Amino acid sequence: MMETAADTVQVKEGAAPSTGVALFLLMKPGIVAAVTLAGYAGMVVAAGAAPPAAPALLCLASIVLAAAGSAMINNVLDRRIDLLMERVQRRSPAIAALGTGRVVTCALALITSALVLSAFHVGIAATAFLLGAVASYTLYYTLYLKRRSHWAAILGGIPGALPVLIGGSSVAPPFATAPLILFILMLLWQPPHFWLLSLAHQEEYRRAGIPVLPLVKGEKFTAVAVLSGAGLLVCTPLLLWVYGPCSKWYAASAVVIGISFWGGCWLLLAKRLYRWAFTSSIAYLTAILGAVIADLCLRRVF
């Protein structure tokens, strides 16, 4: 359920995109990159170091294929809603250029390839988590949850967090402590992240009939919810130091990253710069996952 700046950029209307451009847009490359980074971080914390290259590449390839296919299914299911939302205005022409049938066929081929690759080369546990991520994103979240509940961002974060367990289970037991902590961190990050997006695009969600938190509870309530969620992101990453494999240097970095994110959110929300606050959320996730990976991968080098 992640959204990134690359997936929400506003563009001017123009000619129908080429086949290659249309496929690229519908695969939501920003989201694919984010879940791939999360999957690799899950591998790193499970192994306590950089995982072997060949197994890591096979696991990441399955995540990329499944995420791209799921994004395409999501676009097809949301195509009528997307017509009413300016921030995703390029998706509908992309579907029209390719045809709904071709998009669905391509998406199913990608997802099937991901599951086969994972089952034969990664492991049963990782494949089960991969299937769970695909199903929970395309069916549970897209078709049901986000259309019915203003709290959809909470439970809807599961498919975005599962790549951590996919990566972790590829190198360790399925429910090892460190990947579970990182999974919880991803779950906690996604609600404030989406609420910031919904604050920035309230009117579009209103036109589309999607009951996001600002429309139901108001901007002030949503701002408090965002800051509360961001507060949890200051302390939760420290569990990877207390109970996981990360060092005190990671812990110090995590505190700086978390406090900077909370303070930035507070300032940007006060100035109603919601889009900038949304971008800062992406920066937070990139920085905290980068700190995890750098701490565990570079420690053996230096």
Side-chain angles (χ1 to χ4, degrees):
M1 195 217 65
M2 295 184 189
E3 292 283 0
T4 70
D7 300 303
T8 61
V9 64
Q10 296 184 13
V11 296
K12 296 180 180 180
E13 294 183 5
S18 65
T19 299
V21 171
L23 285 171
F24 184 74
L25 289 170
L26 295 177
M27 288 178 183
K28 299 186 179 181
I31 292 178
V32 171
V35 297
T36 303
L37 179 63
Y40 186 70
M43 281 188 250
V44 170
V45 296
L57 289 173
L58 289 169
C59 182
L60 294 178
S62 68
I63 292 174
V64 169
L65 292 170
S70 299
M72 295 175 78
I73 294 292
N74 170 268
N75 283 321
V76 170
L77 295 175
D78 277 352
R79 62 192 184 280
R80 293 181 178 84
I81 292 174
D82 288 348
L83 287 170
L84 303 172
M85 304 190 71
E86 184 180 0
R87 71 179 182 86
V88 292
Q89 62 180 288
R90 295 186 72 180
R91 295 177 187 172
S92 295
I95 292 176
L98 294 171
T100 301
R102 290 174 66 190
V103 174
V104 172
T105 299
C106 183
L108 293 177
L110 290 172
I111 292 169
T112 301
S113 298
L115 294 172
V116 170
L117 176 64
S118 181
F120 282 95
H121 298 287
V122 182
I124 298 302
T127 305
F129 286 134
L130 190 67
L131 181 60
V134 171
S136 58
Y137 180 56
T138 57
L139 302 177
Y140 171 61
Y141 175 72
T142 300
L143 277 182
Y144 177 77
L145 196 59
K146 84 173 190 179
R147 288 166 162 79
R148 289 169 174 80
S149 175
H150 55 283
W151 296 114
I154 297 176
L155 292 178
I158 292 174
L162 278 173
V164 170
L165 298 185
I166 296 168
S169 63
S170 71
V171 297
F175 295 102
T177 300
L180 276 176
I181 293 172
L182 196 57
F183 174 78
I184 292 169
L185 173 63
M186 292 292 295
L187 283 179
L188 293 176
W189 169 78
Q190 288 179 92
H193 175 70
F194 179 75
W195 292 333
L196 288 170
L197 178 69
S198 62
L199 280 167
H201 298 278
Q202 293 177 65
E203 291 309 312
E204 294 177 36
Y205 282 108
R206 191 190 307 277
R207 289 196 300 270
I210 303 297
V212 292
L213 193 62
L215 297 181
V216 178
K217 294 292 187 178
E219 290 189 20
K220 289 185 178 180
F221 182 94
T222 305
V224 171
V226 167
L227 291 174
S228 299
L232 292 174
L233 295 175
V234 176
C235 54
T236 303
L238 296 179
L239 296 176
L240 286 171
W241 167 55
V242 178
Y243 298 108
C246 294
S247 71
K248 62 182 180 181
W249 305 111
Y250 157 79
S253 300
V255 169
V256 171
I257 293 167
I259 291 176
S260 298
F261 175 52
W262 191 93
C265 276
W266 181 83
L267 180 63
L268 293 168
L269 286 170
K271 295 185 175 182
R272 298 170 61 89
L273 297 173
Y274 301 138
R275 187 72 194 189
W276 281 100
F278 170 72
T279 302
S280 76
S281 176
I282 299 169
Y284 167 85
L285 182 67
T286 304
I288 204 72
L289 294 180
V292 169
I293 294 169
D295 181 60
L296 295 174
C297 292
L298 298 181
R299 191 188 308 172
R300 301 288 179 89
V301 177
F302 298 103

